[in-house]
Amino acid sequence: MAIPFTDREMEKAWRENLSASHSTQRTNAHRLLLFYAVECGLKAVLMRRQKKIRSDLCAEIAQYQHDVNKLLECLSAKPELKLPEQISMKPIKTGNGYDERKFTPGDINQMWRYGGSCSLKDVTDQYIESKLLEIVEWIKIELGPV
């Protein structure tokens, strides 16, 4: 069961995570905070639009969890903001070869939390970070300045 949060707490989490994510030296820790800032910001926009003051009263929050793309779709944001649907990390060596590690945007937080990085030529950590920063600008328009 998810812990309920108020709309004010969600907006505060958006601002604080975004602020903490700013650094000139980019690491997974900074990217992870940026990811969570975007997640909280999108959920705050959703709560505001639905006039919900608690996260547990907004079914989409529980349904979409960390999936930024699903939250963007729910908010009818422009499709160009979406993150790549397929993301990969370097395969893990096994006794019989290699296990691939492919996942969706809802699992980016796990990749960065545990020290992983993207392995596709076109989908790098820097690319995902740049897409998250585009979403940040959209959230700022929706919620107002940070």
Side-chain angles (χ1 to χ4, degrees), residues 54-73:
R54 290 176 32 163
S55 59
D56 60 329
L57 301 176
C58 188
E60 293 84 354
I61 289 177
Q63 183 179 354
Y64 301 140
Q65 297 183 13
H66 303 291
D67 196 326
V68 169
N69 283 356
K70 295 233 186 280
L71 290 165
L72 287 167
E73 287 173 13

Side-chain angles (χ1 to χ4, degrees), residues 21-27 30:
S21 76
H22 295 306
S23 173
T24 54
Q25 179 185 5
R26 306 310 297 161
T27 65
H30 293 99

